[in-house]
Amino acid sequence: MQGANLTVWTFFFLEGFCRYPKLETVLFAFSLVMYLITLLGNGILILITILDSHLHTPMYLFLGNLSFMDICYTSASIPTLLVNLLSSQKIIVFSGCAVQMYLSLAMGSTECVLLAVMAYDRYVAICNPLRYSIIMNRQVCVQMATVSWVTGCMTALLETSFALQVPLCGNLIDHFTCEILAVLKLACTSSLLMDLIMLMVSVLLLPIPMLLICISYVFILSTILRISSAEGRNKAFSNCGAHLTVVILYYGAALSMYLKPSSSNSQAVDKIISLLYGVLTPMLNPIIYSLRNKEVKDATKKLLSKISLYQTHENL
């Protein structure tokens, strides 16, 4: 639709990886496998945290929320990527672009806050074990999870609403999704307000939660080192190891994407990092928690045995 001095775009072209046509089939297979594993792994983790009464604890309440976020985050962008990798016309309508941008920002932002909440949960469990059930009661846990969701969804709404109002001088997005930074590169002029909003949200959701996580783990490490028995230290490290691994993976990718100098990497490298951030990390989360957690392993085996038994009865 053409205006006097402004074009309002009703659709966008997603360039994706079309400059590397030989890679598209490989990327399709890679992304599809990773996406299916993500759905299966996180789906099982959500099921066992609901169905197994032994897992009705604060840590698994937060873990269930994390798995749900990972499913939503990948589902916001990966299906579009899979379609576009096999299509010659890589098009997304304006409304679809807006929804994709919002969901990706909302889930990513919520996860930043939730990881800090999970670090505090581990801090209380290890540094104040006798008061753990009092401090981390169900009401407090629900409130903390709710704050994570509200913070992530509201900051995403703020960013998305302002980004969609910026005048764009083109509709070719040099990315495989409607990633906000890629869309803003099409802006006709720089917006000081938009830059301030992006900076404010980035600081709120990246360095601040990371600082809280680091402080929590300083106290956790100090407490663990004072434990006299090797068995006790190993158990404490095991309880924190999975969360710490997920934090390093998640924040490592996020910081490389959003807090790097704009000229430090090419757009092609940004796409690869974004793909790994969007597919690999959500896929690894349930695997990491399963490998390092006996309770999750036992609950998963119990669930799979029930499913197998049910199928056997159905066949009979």
Side-chain angles (χ1 to χ4, degrees), residues 106 182 256:
S256 66

Side-chain angles (χ1 to χ4, degrees), residues 199-218:
L199 178 62
M200 178 187 70
V201 173
S202 295
V203 171
L204 175 67
L205 296 175
L206 289 173
I208 292 178
M210 273 197 69
L211 178 63
L212 295 175
I213 291 170
C214 289
I215 292 171
S216 296
Y217 273 100
V218 166

